[in-house]
C-alpha cells in the first residue's frame, strides 16, 4: 500500500506534538505513515513529549518515500520541505506559522493527487495564521478543494466538497462550513441541500458497502413547524429531500434539529435509526459529535479525488509545548484514512 502523509499543522500549536506522540504510542497504527513538515519543529515536538527514563523518539529525515515502509516502529519519518520558517513560538499566531502549515498541506495534497500517497491526514492549523500568511482560504477543506479543482482543470464550483465529522456513535455532514451564520442560513438552498445529500450518499455507499440511511436536520426550531417558525424547510429542504428520494436515495426529514442527532446516535444500548445526519450549518452538526468526545472524533472531507481526514480539534495554543496534548483523535484519523483508502 502507498504511504499515508500526516501534515505537521501549525508549528505554534499542538500539531507537531500529537504527530510525534502518535508515532510513539501507536506504532502499529502509524506503520506506513510519515510526517510532512520541518525536521527541527518535529524534533522539538519529540523532545516535548519525552517521558522520564525513556529513550527519545528517533526523528529521521526521508530521502525517498520508498524508505517509509522499511523504517522500524517508533520512529518518526519526516519529509522535509524547503523554505519553511522552522519552529515557531508556542501559542503565538503568526504569518510564518500559517505559511508553513499551508505549505505542508499543499505538498501532500499534490502528491496524493498525483497518486503517490494512499491518503492525507492533516494536523490542526490556525485559520487566523492562514489569513495573515495571505492564504485565500479559511481552512483545510477549502484549500484542498481549490487544489483538487486546479489539478482536475475544472472551475472550483465543479469540485463540490463537504465536511463530515464522525465517531463510533454519530456521523454528521454539513451543508455549509466556515462562513458567518447569516451566510450559512442563506446557503440553505434546494440545490445545495440536494448536492450535499448526493455527496453523502456516494461517499458513505463506498465506505459502508450499502446505501446509507440519511436523516436531514431542519434549520429552524421544530423544523419550522410547517412554516410557522421559518419557511426554509417548506421551500428549500423538503423539496431537496423529495428530489433525493426520487433519485433512489434513502433520505428522511427534515426533522427537528434538537432531536434528530439523538435518533441517529448509535449507542451501546440504542441502535441509531440513521447512518448519518445532514446538518444545515457548522455548529449545528459539530456540537453533537464533539460533545460525545473530541478524542474519538475524525473530520473527513467528502467529494475530493483523494482521501483526507483530520482530528476534530484545533491548535490548542494554550497547551502547546507542554507535551500534554491528546493524540487519540489523530490516531483515529489515521485509522479512518487507512480504511477509506482500502487498507482496512
Amino acid at each position: 500500500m502507498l504511504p499515508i502523509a500526516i501534515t505537521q499543522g501549525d508549528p505554534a500549536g499542538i500539531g507537531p506534538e500529537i504527530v510525534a506522540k502518535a508515532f510513539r504510542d501507536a506504532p502499529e497504527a502509524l506503520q506506513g505513515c510519515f510526517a510532512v513538515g520541518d525536521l527541527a519543529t518535529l524534533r522539538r515536538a519529540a523532545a516535548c513529549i519525552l517521558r522520564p527514563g525513556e529513550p527519545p523518539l528517533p526523528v529521521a529525515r526521508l530521502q525517498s518515500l520508498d524508505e517509509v515502509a522499511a523504517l522500524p516502529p517508533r520512529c518518526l519519518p519526516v519529509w522535509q520541505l524547503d523554505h519553511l520558517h522552522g519552529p515557531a513560538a508556542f501559542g503565538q499566531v503568526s504569518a510564518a506559522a500559517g505559511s508553513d502549515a499551508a505549505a505542508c498541506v499543499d505538498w501532500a495534497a499534490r502528491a496524493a493527487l498525483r497518486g503517490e500517497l494512499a491518503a492525507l491526514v492533516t494536523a490542526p492549523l490556525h485559520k487566523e495564521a492562514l489569513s495573515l500568511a495571505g492564504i485565500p482560504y479559511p481552512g483545510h477543506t477549502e484549500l484542498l478543494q481549490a487544489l483538487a479543482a486546479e489539478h482536475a482543470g475544472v472551475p472550483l464550483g465543479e469540485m463540490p466538497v463537504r465536511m463530515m465529522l464522525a465517531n463510533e456513535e454519530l456521523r454528521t455532514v454539513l451543508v455549509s462550513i466556515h462562513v458567518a451564520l447569516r451566510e450559512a442560513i442563506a446557503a440553505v438552498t434546494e440545490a445545495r441541500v440536494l448536492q450535499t445529500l448526493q455527496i453523502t450518499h456516494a461517499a458513505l455507499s463506498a465506505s459502508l458497502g450499502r446505501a446509507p440511511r440519511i436523516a436531514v436536520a431542519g434549520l429552524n426550531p421544530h423544523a419550522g413547524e410547517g412554516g410557522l417558525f421559518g419557511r426554509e424547510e417548506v421551500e428549500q429542504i423538503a423539496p431537496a429531500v423529495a428530489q433525493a428520494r426520487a433519485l433512489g436515495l434513502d433520505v428522511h426529514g427534515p426533522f427537528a434539529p434538537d432531536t434528530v442527532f439523538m435518533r441517529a446516535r448509535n449507542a451501546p444500548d440504542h441502535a441509531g435509526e440513521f447512518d448519518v445526519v445532514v446538518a444545515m450549518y457548522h455548529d449545528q452538526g459539530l456540537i453533537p459529535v464533539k460533545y460525545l468526545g473530541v478524542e474519538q472524533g475524525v473530520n473527513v472531507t467528502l467529494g475530493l479525488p483523494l482521501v483526507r481526514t483530520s482530528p476534530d480539534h484545533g491548535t490548542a495554543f494554550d497547551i502547546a509545548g507542554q507535551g500534554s496534548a491528546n493524540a487519540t483523535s489523530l490516531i483515529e484519523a489515521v485509522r479512518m484514512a487507512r480504511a477509506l483508502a482500502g487498507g482496512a
Side-chain angles (χ1 to χ4, degrees):
M1 184 178 179
L2 292 170
I4 293 174
I6 306 174
T7 61
Q8 71 174 17
D10 190 303
I14 63 169
E17 289 174 56
I18 61 173
V19 171
K21 194 171 283 190
F23 276 92
R24 182 194 70 187
D25 296 344
E28 291 185 3
L30 275 290
Q31 191 68 34
C33 299
F34 69 99
V36 181
D38 174 65
L39 201 65
T41 296
L42 288 155
R43 282 181 172 155
R44 182 181 69 169
C48 285
I49 67 166
L50 184 63
R51 294 177 293 210
E54 73 172 6
L57 177 73
V59 180
R61 179 171 183 167
L62 292 168
Q63 301 300 322
S64 165
L65 294 186
D66 294 336
E67 296 173 348
V68 175
L71 287 170
R74 288 183 54 84
C75 171
L76 171 50
V78 179
W79 187 266
Q80 172 73 48
L81 297 187
D82 295 332
H83 311 303
L84 296 184
H85 296 85
F90 288 124
Q92 301 296 313
V93 178
S94 72
S99 175
D100 284 5
C104 295
V105 177
D106 186 286
W107 182 91
R110 292 181 189 278
L113 290 166
R114 291 193 300 267
E116 298 169 6
L117 304 175
L120 166 61
V121 179
T122 56
L125 50 69
H126 197 282
K127 293 175 175 57
E128 185 181 351
L130 272 190
S131 179
L132 288 174
I135 307 300
Y137 307 104
H140 278 119
T141 304
E142 297 86 353
L143 174 56
L144 290 165
Q145 178 189 24
L147 291 169
E150 177 190 315
H151 180 81
V154 301
L156 197 62
E158 294 182 20
M159 186 64 67
V161 299
R162 295 294 187 273
M163 176 191 289
M164 179 174 76
L165 202 65
N167 58 30
E168 291 185 355
E169 298 184 36
L170 183 64
R171 300 182 187 92
T172 64
V173 176
L174 310 180
V175 170
S176 63
I177 308 176
H178 301 121
V179 296
L181 186 54
R182 292 181 186 275
E183 295 175 42
I185 293 170
V188 179
T189 65
E190 181 178 345
R192 190 168 179 87
V193 173
L194 176 60
Q195 186 179 65
T196 306
L197 293 171
Q198 292 173 308
I199 291 171
T200 302
H201 172 83
L204 289 185
S205 292
S207 61
L208 295 176
R210 58 173 173 80
R213 300 164 298 163
I214 304 173
V216 179
L219 173 68
N220 298 296
H222 304 186
E225 286 279 17
L228 290 176
F229 304 147
R231 299 289 301 174
E232 287 84 1
E233 286 79 9
V234 174
E235 296 176 357
Q236 308 296 337
I237 303 173
V241 170
Q243 282 198 64
R245 290 178 66 86
L247 294 171
L249 280 63
D250 189 3
V251 181
H252 307 270
F255 297 117
D258 59 352
T259 57
V260 67
F261 299 99
M262 292 184 286
R263 293 175 61 182
R265 182 185 179 191
N266 189 38
D269 59 346
H270 174 266
E273 295 179 47
F274 308 104
D275 297 302
V276 61
V277 178
V278 167
M280 292 300 112
Y281 57 94
H282 185 279
D283 286 9
Q284 183 190 57
L286 266 56
I287 288 172
V289 181
K290 292 193 175 188
Y291 178 78
L292 293 174
V294 171
E295 293 81 9
Q296 288 75 39
V298 177
N299 181 349
V300 184
T301 304
L302 307 182
L304 290 171
L306 57 86
V307 173
R308 179 263 171 163
T309 68
S310 74
D312 79 341
H313 57 74
T315 51
F317 277 2
D318 56 324
I319 62 169
Q322 299 176 20
S324 60
N326 192 323
T328 302
S329 184
L330 179 67
I331 295 167
E332 291 304 313
V334 171
R335 290 193 172 112
M336 183 171 288
R338 198 181 304 278
L340 293 172

